[in-house]
Amino acid sequence: MFTTNVGSVDRAFRIVLGLVLIALVFVGPQTPLGWLGLVPLLTGFMRTCPLYSLFGLSTCSTK
């Protein structure tokens, strides 16, 4: 269904960024915009990014 196009460093960055943004909902400025963190969090866990697929990009290492 989906092809993997998110590499390990990109994946780790997306997960951390997603968690930080979601934390903004509960601490700090408590802005609802923090829920946008779900996007990088989900793309990190799924290891695929729809925008990367659209533009034919990949951060996976080649073997």
Side-chain angles (χ1 to χ4, degrees):
M1 186 170 158
F2 293 108
T3 58
T4 301
N5 60 7
V6 175
S8 6
V9 175
D10 190 8
R11 181 176 183 239
F13 177 74
R14 287 170 183 264
I15 291 172
V16 170
L17 177 66
L19 291 173
V20 168
L21 288 174
I22 291 171
L24 292 177
V25 174
F26 304 105
V27 296
Q30 296 182 342
T31 175
L33 290 175
W35 289 115
L36 290 175
L38 287 174
V39 174
L41 188 64
L42 290 175
T43 58
F45 281 130
M46 293 179 4
R47 296 182 185 193
T48 186
C49 176
L51 285 177
Y52 280 9
S53 297
L54 183 67
F55 292 111
L57 300 172
S58 177
T59 57
C60 291
S61 60
T62 57
K63 292 186 179 189

